[in-house]
Amino acid sequence: MVKFLDNLIKKLQLLPSIGPKTAQRIAFYILTKLTDAQATELAQAIIEAKQKLKLCKECFNYAEEELCPICADQKREQTLLCVVENPSDVLSIERSGKYRGLYHVLGGALSPINNIGPADLRIKELIERIKKSKYQEIIIATNPTREGEATADYLVKLIKPFGIKITRIARGLPIGSDLDLADSSTISEAIEGRKEIE
């Protein structure tokens, strides 16, 4: 195989859910369908995102400044906090248009099988935020997977002593799926149908 083509296919396989055949299709699409300018723009967009984006110092979503646009927006509901696993979950919930509060991105979910414990997530930072803020409700929006449910249960035990209302997004999402794969109407229903955790 041609060295540069082989290298492109291998690099595309670094992306999630991209196997050899899909990587090959994407590589040939880039080579045959994109103009040189479009290919350069795609490469430049990847480089700029990697170099210029950082984590928000408050919620750990992606940001260009110290605070992401959501944390910097004083018009957001400051007493409502939605806890998610990843920045892609923030984007999914925002697309639904049904939530106007703040977020906290954990950076994953508890997974003993993968050696991911509480210290590997931003749980300590979450508790610090709760201590210094006046949240009236914490929405736990971890994915409806075994790991997401275990993370939600763990968080409930930590947050309960603060006496804050804790809700869990509704089960309109299929078990075992990820928030970033759900359509915006499903997420809207999950946010609106959230249930308080006793």
Side-chain angles (χ1 to χ4, degrees):
M1 185 177 273
V2 180
K3 180 175 82 170
F4 295 120
L5 176 58
D6 189 41
N7 186 47
L8 177 58
I9 292 169
K10 284 180 180 169
K11 297 299 184 235
L12 288 169
Q13 289 180 67
L14 295 173
L15 299 171
S17 304
I18 304 292
K21 287 186 178 183
T22 303
Q24 184 175 317
R25 279 197 301 275
I26 294 170
F28 280 112
Y29 182 87
I30 290 169
L31 294 171
T32 60
K33 302 291 185 190
L34 295 186
T35 65
D36 288 351
Q38 290 170 323
T40 301
E41 287 170 7
L42 173 61
Q44 190 60 41
I46 293 169
I47 291 166
E48 285 178 354
K50 285 297 288 178
Q51 289 177 346
K52 297 186 178 178
L53 290 178
K54 52 189 168 189
L55 294 180
C56 172
K57 71 173 190 172
E58 187 72 18
C59 74
F60 305 99
N61 188 17
Y62 284 113
E64 293 175 17
E65 307 296 331
E66 280 202 353
L67 292 178
C68 72
I70 294 170
C71 287
D73 184 357
Q74 291 302 309
K75 293 178 183 166
R76 302 284 300 207
E77 179 53 61
Q78 303 292 311
T79 62
L80 198 55
L81 185 68
C82 184
V83 181
V84 297
E85 292 180 24
N86 298 299
S88 59
D89 301 329
V90 172
L91 195 59
S92 298
I93 293 171
E94 284 298 292
R95 272 198 310 257
S96 78
K98 294 291 180 183
Y99 180 73
R100 293 292 303 152
L102 302 174
Y103 293 92
H104 185 86
V105 180
L106 294 170
L110 295 174
S111 179
I113 205 162
N114 293 314
N115 294 318
I116 300 173
D120 300 306
L121 304 177
R122 297 185 194 96
I123 293 173
K124 184 178 87 174
E125 292 86 346
L126 171 63
I127 299 306
E128 288 303 314
R129 283 182 78 181
I130 291 171
K131 284 179 184 175
K132 67 180 184 180
S133 298
K134 295 180 179 166
Y135 299 121
Q136 293 175 3
E137 181 181 354
I138 307 286
I139 302 169
I140 299 178
T142 53
N143 290 313
T145 59
R146 183 177 295 135
E147 294 83 1
E149 293 299 325
T151 304
D153 291 343
Y154 183 79
L155 293 176
V156 168
K157 289 175 186 163
L158 292 178
I159 299 168
K160 271 285 186 199
F162 292 98
I164 301 169
K165 178 180 179 183
I166 307 169
T167 56
R168 180 86 169 104
I169 56 173
R171 297 299 196 266
L173 296 166
I175 298 296
S177 70
D178 289 341
L179 281 175
D180 61 352
L181 299 177
D183 61 83
S184 54
S185 63
T186 301
I187 291 176
S188 292
E189 290 172 21
I191 291 287
E192 288 181 335
R194 65 187 183 270
K195 307 279 187 228
E196 186 166 2
I197 298 171
E198 301 298 328

